[in-house]
Amino acid sequence: CCVAGQGKRSAAALNDLSTLSFQHIHKFLNETWQRRYQAELSSSMLTLLWSTIASIFSLGGLFGAHLGSLAAWAGEKGALLMNNFIAILAAILMGISFPAGLYELLIVGRFLIGMNTGNTQLCEAAPKHLRGAMVMGSSIFLTGGILTGQVIGLRELLGGEAYWHFLLSSSCFPAFIQLLTLPWFPESPRFLFIDQGDEMKCIKAMKRFHGPLNYQAEMEDIQKERFALGGEAAKKPWQLFTDRSIRWQLITIILLTMGQQLSGINAVIMYLRKLGSPEKTFLTWTLGTGACECLTALTCGLLIESMGRRVLILGGYSLMTLWCIVLTFSLTYQVYSWAPYLSMACIFAFILSFGLGPGGVTNTLTTELFTQSSRPAAYMIAGSVSWLSFFTIGMLFPFIVVGKLYCFIVFLLECCLVVIFISFVIPETKNKTFLEIKREFHKLNFGRSKEQEGELCERQHLSNEF
């Protein structure tokens, strides 16, 4: 669970620098250029260098998302261990960039920490009645890492001029902790049995996960999934687009991942930055949003197994639609004294609604909608769509915000469309095995009901036994 928090902690620290202490990096760039070329750094070149430092993180995340195939042959445990070395290397490069006077190291480090963040794997070893809560553990640590980065990024701590490079290199600490602790944990049982065919190691891992007396039910589910896959090898991302049996699962993940990034959650912070608020006020807002994300991730983790995925994500997007309407109304009447307070209340309510639904449930569905052979490739596709959407909103929002009063109407429409899609397409996945969830989508993919599919599977099973 801590790997997501580890990567995002670094991202949060860097984002704080870009919004609050960017002048330190600007000064570093100017001084380095002056010392190297004995000439002043032009404003256009400064903008280019700063834009490169800020945007290379997203490019690294996009590249890191395509490293998800590591889990197909190295396993989740092996992929996470290798991912930590990337984080440590990135931390070293960013940490020595300032004393070495090489801004190129900062750029490379930003790219590598983006790779580390993009190459995040989610839990597939949890039992079905706890799977949602366990996957939400990643989001809880993620938001906790973001809040930690925001706190230690304050000027009074590591956000000052003399310490900002230490802030960037602080991401090495959780990476070291995971390198020391993760080798003592078992590998994913599904990887051991379905991908490697090692039943003895799978049973040993299952006993460690579930106890020596409570692993049989989960073992039966894994055996059924392996039988259904029929020795099918791990698929490549492009093969998912031609596989009719997972067509609507793939459409669902792509649309939900795009919806998560384009819903306006990233635009909220960008909008606050555009307002030109005083630094102390912006600090309060930033820490407040970080605390809200932590609170909602924890709340979602507590509710996801009782209320279900569908209720939370549908309710989250519906509430976000409502807050977009109220926020647009409040922005229209900013001449009144109460309007700014209503706007801020809507922004925090929007963040709370996002965390209760789309913020955590989307990652859970990415894990649940695919079987073992398709899951690594699905991670890669979802990660690529997420980073491309993140980059897109960063590029387009400065143009959207020109119409300040009505800039959130775009996100209002997007949230409405996602609500409609969820209502008609996504079933409830709580307490269901991966094969049961696959059957839920069978009618959409082939036009048959799940009952007919079950009968076909049973006939095929009897035929194979005969």
Side-chain angles (χ1 to χ4, degrees):
C1 287
C2 69
V3 67
Q6 163 204 324
K8 289 293 187 179
R9 177 185 174 184
S10 307
L14 290 165
N15 287 336
D16 283 346
L17 283 177
S18 67
T19 56
L20 297 177
S21 304
F22 63 88
Q23 64 268 28
H24 300 327
I25 297 182
H26 279 196
K27 184 178 180 180
F28 166 61
L29 294 174
N30 280 315
E31 291 177 349
T32 302
W33 191 276
Q34 176 70 35
R35 185 169 55 252
R36 186 181 298 180
Y37 301 108
Q38 288 77 48
E40 293 291 333
L41 179 62
S42 65
S43 60
S44 59
M45 181 57 69
L46 177 62
T47 302
L48 176 61
L49 289 175
W50 171 249
S51 300
T52 302
I53 292 171
S55 61
I56 199 71
F57 174 79
S58 298
L59 182 61
L62 178 62
F63 186 80
H66 288 81
L67 297 179
S69 57
L70 287 174
W73 64 272
E76 283 194 357
K77 179 179 173 180
L80 292 178
L81 285 171
M82 288 185 282
N83 202 30
N84 285 307
F85 289 105
I86 298 177
I88 293 172
L89 178 59
I92 293 173
L93 293 178
M94 292 187 293
I96 66 175
S97 61
F98 178 63
L102 296 171
Y103 55 77
E104 293 87 354
L105 296 181
L106 179 58
I107 295 174
V108 175
R110 281 277 284 172
F111 178 80
L112 290 176
I113 202 63
M115 283 180 56
N116 168 261
T117 307
N119 186 24
T120 298
Q121 301 295 328
L122 299 177
C123 178
E124 64 183 24
K128 61 183 179 182
H129 66 282
L130 292 176
R131 190 168 55 229
M134 293 299 295
V135 176
M136 276 303 303
S138 176
S139 295
I140 293 171
F141 278 93
L142 184 151
T143 54
I146 290 176
L147 182 59
T148 302
Q150 291 170 342
V151 171
I152 66 175
L154 296 174
R155 293 182 185 277
E156 292 78 7
L157 298 177
L158 295 181
E161 181 178 353
Y163 306 109
W164 61 266
H165 56 292
F166 293 119
L167 173 64
L168 303 187
S169 60
S170 65
S171 60
C172 66
F173 293 109
F176 276 123
I177 292 173
Q178 192 174 92
L179 278 176
L180 294 175
T181 57
L182 191 59
W184 302 99
F185 286 82
E187 179 56 89
S188 165
R190 275 185 164 77
F191 170 75
L192 292 173
F193 188 50
I194 298 178
D195 292 330
Q196 293 194 328
D198 195 329
E199 186 174 1
M200 295 304 297
K201 286 185 178 180
C202 175
I203 293 176
K204 184 178 179 180
M206 291 290 289
K207 288 181 178 180
R208 291 191 63 188
F209 275 123
H210 304 283
L213 301 177
N214 302 313
Y215 74 94
Q216 290 86 354
E218 291 297 324
M219 188 65 193
E220 289 177 4
D221 288 339
I222 296 178
Q223 290 172 337
K224 290 178 181 178
E225 184 175 346
R226 185 171 187 260
F227 175 78
L229 292 174
E232 185 178 44
K235 295 181 179 179
K236 304 298 182 182
W238 54 86
Q239 293 177 315
L240 266 60
F241 290 96
T242 59
D243 188 345
R244 187 178 177 184
S245 66
I246 56 173
R247 176 182 299 172
W248 277 98
Q249 292 96 309
L250 188 61
I251 293 174
T252 297
I253 290 305
I254 291 175
L255 292 182
L256 288 186
T257 303
M258 290 178 61
Q260 186 184 44
Q261 293 293 339
L262 303 179
S263 63
I265 189 64
N266 295 310
V268 167
I269 299 299
M270 298 179 192
Y271 182 77
L272 293 176
R273 192 185 310 166
K274 288 287 183 182
L275 292 179
S277 304
E279 182 174 317
K280 289 185 178 180
T281 303
F282 189 83
L283 274 171
T284 303
W285 289 348
T286 302
L287 294 177
T289 56
C292 281
E293 289 176 341
C294 276
L295 176 63
T296 52
L298 182 59
T299 305
C300 185
L302 296 173
L303 296 177
I304 193 169
E305 294 300 345
S306 59
M307 297 184 65
R309 289 71 156 145
R310 179 181 166 87
V311 172
L312 287 177
I313 194 169
L314 190 59
Y317 275 113
S318 299
L319 287 174
M320 290 163 68
T321 303
L322 172 63
W323 301 129
C324 281
I325 295 173
V326 179
L327 183 58
T328 302
F329 172 80
S330 66
L331 293 176
T332 306
Y333 294 95
Q334 286 293 303
V335 292
Y336 297 99
S337 59
W338 50 265
Y341 298 101
L342 180 59
S343 298
M344 286 308 304
C346 287
I347 287 175
F348 281 102
F350 187 90
I351 295 172
L352 289 169
S353 302
F354 175 84
L356 283 173
V361 179
T362 302
N363 294 333
T364 304
L365 291 175
T366 304
T367 302
E368 293 182 329
L369 297 189
F370 298 90
T371 54
Q372 184 69 17
S373 61
S374 304
R375 194 173 295 116
Y379 283 152
M380 295 169 64
I381 294 173
S384 300
V385 171
S386 178
W387 286 104
L388 286 173
S389 301
F390 179 78
F391 177 78
T392 301
I393 194 63
M395 293 294 293
L396 295 182
F397 188 73
F399 300 97
I400 297 174
V401 81
V402 172
K404 185 178 294 186
L405 298 180
Y406 305 105
C407 60
F408 284 94
I409 290 181
V410 176
F411 307 114
L412 164 64
L413 296 176
E414 192 271 346
C415 289
C416 283
L417 292 175
V418 175
V419 167
I420 295 172
F421 177 81
I422 294 172
S423 301
F424 287 97
V425 174
I426 301 180
E428 180 54 69
T429 61
K430 182 181 70 172
N431 289 333
K432 294 179 181 178
T433 65
F434 297 128
L435 289 179
E436 289 172 343
I437 296 170
K438 186 176 182 180
R439 293 192 191 107
E440 290 280 353
F441 280 91
H442 198 273
K443 185 175 182 179
L444 286 173
N445 291 326
F446 293 102
R448 298 193 193 99
S449 67
K450 60 182 181 180
E451 290 80 9
Q452 290 174 319
E453 167 64 8
E455 292 174 2
L456 288 174
C457 289
E458 185 176 354
R459 290 174 186 173
Q460 182 180 4
H461 176 68
L462 293 175
S463 175
N464 291 335
E465 286 184 346
F466 179 77

